Amino acid sequence: MNVLIILVPVSLTLAALALIGFIWTLRRDQYDDLEGDAWRILSEDETPKD
């Protein structure tokens, strides 16, 4: 049971860090253009090099 004294705060700290990271990515507009990368992979803008 003594291990819970360590595991509960550690898990709460990790969950708080994950939430802070998620909020940080939302504020940095990381999820604005979800389809852009997929279309950029399919488009061939550059001419092939010989």
Side-chain angles (χ1 to χ4, degrees), residues 37-50:
D37 290 334
W39 286 107
R40 276 192 290 276
I41 290 172
L42 296 175
S43 67
E44 296 181 17
D45 291 339
E46 297 180 16
T47 57
K49 297 180 181 179
D50 293 332

Side-chain angles (χ1 to χ4, degrees), residues 6-23:
I6 296 171
L7 288 179
V8 170
V10 168
S11 65
L12 290 175
T13 303
L14 288 176
L17 287 174
L19 182 63
I20 290 169
F22 178 69
I23 291 171

